[in-house]
Amino acid sequence: PVLSLAPRRHGHQPNRSTPGEPAPMTIDRIDMRTATDCLRCCVAMVLSMRYEAVRDLDVGDLPRQLSELNEWLDGIGFALACVQATGEGELLHPFYDGPANLWIAGGPTIRGTIHAVLYQGTRLLHDPHVSRAGLLSITSATFIFPINCP
């Protein structure tokens, strides 16, 4: 399914489907509330949750954040998988055939920070930073998926 972002109050309209096609799914846009909560925003959007419902992640190194996030996700029936580029490498846009093809891209920004943004397939769906500048390159890809319990 194609996703569009829910409209903003100031006139932004979501993508419309053409006649005869199903209407696109919409998800709520969640913007950063602190200087370091981009991953939390993206997780909330992938899971269609309110920002406040997602665990506040400890600011620090990415492996610790992912460990905390995976622990929290496990408690609600989800897990994550993260693919990291090595050295100075860059990942190409991965193909992910999951629900709505949503995944979280991480990498450096023009602001000199490491940042997380939301992708659908190969399309940047939302950058939670006010600049909307996206990433200079993609150095990690994080996928969230439900845990299948028998």
Side-chain angles (χ1 to χ4, degrees), residues 83-94 103 105-108 119 135-141:
V83 178
Q84 299 262 349
T86 58
E88 297 296 317
E90 177 182 355
L91 296 174
L92 299 176
H93 294 285
W103 58 281
Y119 267 78
L135 305 175
L136 294 174
S137 63
I138 297 172
T139 57
S140 69

Side-chain angles (χ1 to χ4, degrees), residues 113-126:
T113 61
I114 300 299
H115 186 50
V117 298
L118 185 65
Y119 267 78
Q120 180 188 28
T122 59
R123 178 174 70 107
L124 174 63
L125 188 63
H126 182 60

Side-chain angles (χ1 to χ4, degrees), residues 52-115:
E52 297 80 10
V54 176
R55 177 180 178 164
D56 187 13
L57 301 169
D58 181 28
V59 176
D61 64 312
L62 183 60
R64 184 174 36 180
Q65 282 186 326
L66 293 176
S67 176
E68 288 179 5
L69 179 58
N70 208 32
E71 180 182 308
W72 177 78
L73 286 168
D74 184 59
I76 62 168
F78 287 86
L80 67 80
C82 185
V83 178
Q84 299 262 349
T86 58
E88 297 296 317
E90 177 182 355
L91 296 174
L92 299 176
H93 294 285
F95 175 77
Y96 177 57
D97 193 22
N101 296 325
L102 293 176
W103 58 281
I104 301 168
T109 68
I110 196 165
R111 299 178 307 279
T113 61
I114 300 299
H115 186 50

